[in-house]
Amino acid sequence: MPLANQTGTYWYHSLTNHFQDPEDPNLDQYDVDDESTVITLADWFHTESPELLTAYMATTNTASNDALPQSGTINGVGRTSTDTQPARPVFTVTSGMRYRFRIINASALARFNFQISGHTLTVIEADGENHVPLTVDRLLLQPGQRYSVVVEANQAVDNYWIRAPMAARTPNPAPTNWATDSDNVNAVLHYVGAADAEPTTTPPALSGTVLNEALLVPSTNPAAPGTAVAGGADKVFNLAFATVTDSTSHHWTVNGVQYISPTVPTLLQILSGATDASDFATNENTFIINKGDVVEINITGVPNHPFHLHGHSFSVVKGATGSTNYVNPPRRDVTPSATGGITIRFTADNPGPWILHCHIDLHLDAGLAVVFAEAPEDVAAGADSVDPDDSWDDLCPIYNALAAEDQ
């Protein structure tokens, strides 16, 4: 896996990974950064995803209600109202040491609030991008988002609650036990020398200052690309997303089009000569951008849909909080939609087909996505071209041999 200069916190499919940067500008901020300091938050459904998708896309789901998870998990461990047995995850620290915790929201639906009782969180990274250290009391992580925070073990030797209650749009009435189970997502920060036990206190309510994304400042080259005016980019895309319920399904559209994954992958179409938007089917919702373009994307729709762009980090020129900022906006690859819309910008310096999609799984499956085919001519030929080897020939037969429900 060639990483070039890409560092930060990522996960590869269902496997958690982090890539350390020996030139990290925040290296002097922490003492410990290893597998023991990775915290993966996720939601756990007792119903398999194909069944959930069928229910979500039913024509009767005109309210666009999402099925809610039965529990939240921290590093794969969680509890429900009917299953209180699993031991809570424990993260061990030594007094006086500073720890870089890499926190990943790998959920299918839920947002997570994150707080460590008695300790502040100094944010130094968002979605693989280093930022100027910013100290807060707690975080709100959208699906797909990652943060690195520095936690100093500077409290009395004891055990402290790590809190990560879930949040999601709930139908009315909410499912039985949702209020209890969504709140019961906890782990333990254990100091060496303390009793091997959970804290003796009840997990406290969230409190203190929550991270305001708009206050994050990139550590290097903080300005947004392009000129500091609305539309000051080479390509401007205005994307309006909404739900549609017709005679066949309930689904999502962007500019009136439901994204449907093509039978022939976008990359293979480009390698076969596709270079214009008209070369792709309407439901592939594919836009062409040129190498070197400054791209501005304005996204409008209902709030709290985490939009994730593959292949690029982007400047959040106008996000869910704060005002328009071209000087030093946050830089990351997942940010939520908001009432009034959001604006992101990036420079097209990585040829390839890159999808922009909602990171709520069922919404992506139901069509909430577009694709940017970046510099397709460069992908097909030249220094940045993709040169398939013989292993590619094996992929289609393997896929075609799968049962229909697994494709």
Side-chain angles (χ1 to χ4, degrees):
M1 180 187 294
L3 296 177
N5 294 320
Q6 186 178 33
T7 59
T9 306
Y10 303 85
W11 83 95
Y12 180 71
H13 291 281
S14 61
L15 302 177
T16 298
N17 288 287
H18 68 273
F19 304 107
Q20 295 176 316
D21 181 4
E23 299 180 2
D24 178 3
N26 296 308
L27 200 59
D28 63 349
Q29 300 286 317
Y30 54 88
D31 306 304
V32 181
D33 174 29
D34 57 28
E35 65 275 5
S36 72
T37 60
V38 176
I39 300 176
T40 303
L41 310 174
D43 44 16
W44 182 258
F45 293 81
H46 293 181
T47 303
E48 293 186 351
S49 57
E51 186 176 340
L52 292 174
L53 182 61
T54 297
Y56 181 75
M57 296 187 68
T59 56
T60 53
N61 188 25
T62 55
S64 198
N65 286 328
D66 297 287
L68 296 177
Q70 277 61 55
S71 63
T73 65
I74 299 178
N75 286 3
V77 178
R79 296 184 179 185
T80 69
S81 302
T82 56
D83 185 1
T84 60
Q85 297 306 308
R88 300 191 191 276
V90 175
F91 298 87
T92 300
V93 297
T94 300
S95 288
M97 300 291 282
R98 301 165 302 169
Y99 294 80
R100 177 176 181 162
F101 284 103
R102 297 172 181 262
I103 308 163
I104 302 166
N105 182 354
S107 71
L109 170 70
R111 305 182 297 276
F112 281 89
N113 296 279
F114 183 88
Q115 184 164 30
I116 302 178
S117 297
H119 297 74
T120 57
L121 313 172
T122 299
V123 180
I124 61 172
E125 176 229 334
D127 300 351
E129 294 287 343
N130 293 316
H131 285 73
V132 176
L134 178 64
T135 299
V136 297
D137 295 300
R138 54 192 176 98
L139 308 173
L140 174 63
L141 293 94
Q142 296 278 346
Q145 288 188 327
R146 297 90 65 202
Y147 287 105
S148 283
V149 301
V150 176
V151 176
E152 187 172 356
N154 59 3
Q155 299 299 303
V157 172
D158 206 342
N159 296 301
Y160 297 85
W161 286 114
I162 298 176
R163 300 275 288 121
M166 294 186 291
R169 186 173 71 90
T170 56
N172 187 16
T176 303
N177 298 328
W178 167 251
T180 299
D181 290 339
S182 64
D183 190 63
N184 189 20
V185 189
N186 303 298
V188 176
L189 185 73
H190 169 73
Y191 276 67
V192 172
D196 291 328
E198 292 186 357
T200 56
T201 59
T202 300
L206 299 170
S207 61
T209 302
V210 64
L211 173 66
N212 178 351
E213 180 188 73
L215 298 181
L216 290 173
V217 175
S219 297
T220 57
N221 302 319
T227 56
V229 294
D234 299 304
K235 292 283 181 68
V236 178
F237 298 94
N238 298 313
L239 306 181
F241 68 95
T243 55
V244 172
T245 305
D246 58 24
S247 60
T248 60
S249 70
H250 171 79
H251 54 268
W252 286 92
T253 64
V254 178
N255 292 355
V257 177
Q258 178 191 11
Y259 175 78
I260 298 176
S261 184
T263 302
V264 178
T266 306
L267 176 58
L268 293 185
Q269 294 185 61
I270 292 172
L271 293 175
S272 299
T275 59
D276 188 81
S278 62
D279 294 328
F280 302 93
T282 299
N283 283 109
E284 294 178 57
N285 226 359
T286 298
F287 303 94
I288 306 298
I289 55 179
N290 302 315
K291 189 174 183 179
D293 278 348
V294 172
V295 180
E296 177 176 299
I297 305 173
N298 301 299
I299 303 173
T300 55
V302 293
N304 279 319
H305 287 263
F307 278 88
H308 172 48
L309 176 64
H310 291 213
H312 292 277
S313 293
F314 49 72
S315 296
V316 185
V317 170
K318 179 186 177 185
T321 60
S323 56
T324 300
N325 178 6
Y326 298 103
V327 176
N328 56 2
R331 186 183 302 131
R332 60 186 321 159
D333 62 30
V334 183
T335 199
S337 59
T339 302
I342 64 172
T343 299
I344 62 176
R345 280 189 186 177
F346 66 94
T347 300
D349 55 8
N350 186 22
W354 306 119
I355 191 168
L356 172 70
H357 66 92
C358 176
H359 219 290
I360 296 174
D361 283 7
L362 294 183
H363 299 180
L364 168 59
D365 289 340
L368 190 41
V370 301
V371 172
F372 293 97
E374 179 179 334
E377 294 89 347
D378 289 25
V379 175
D384 294 317
S385 63
V386 175
D387 185 16
D389 59 29
D390 292 342
S391 64
W392 287 48
D393 294 333
D394 298 329
L395 295 177
C396 290
I398 292 171
Y399 178 80
N400 292 334
L402 295 172
E405 62 269 18
D406 294 328
Q407 292 186 2

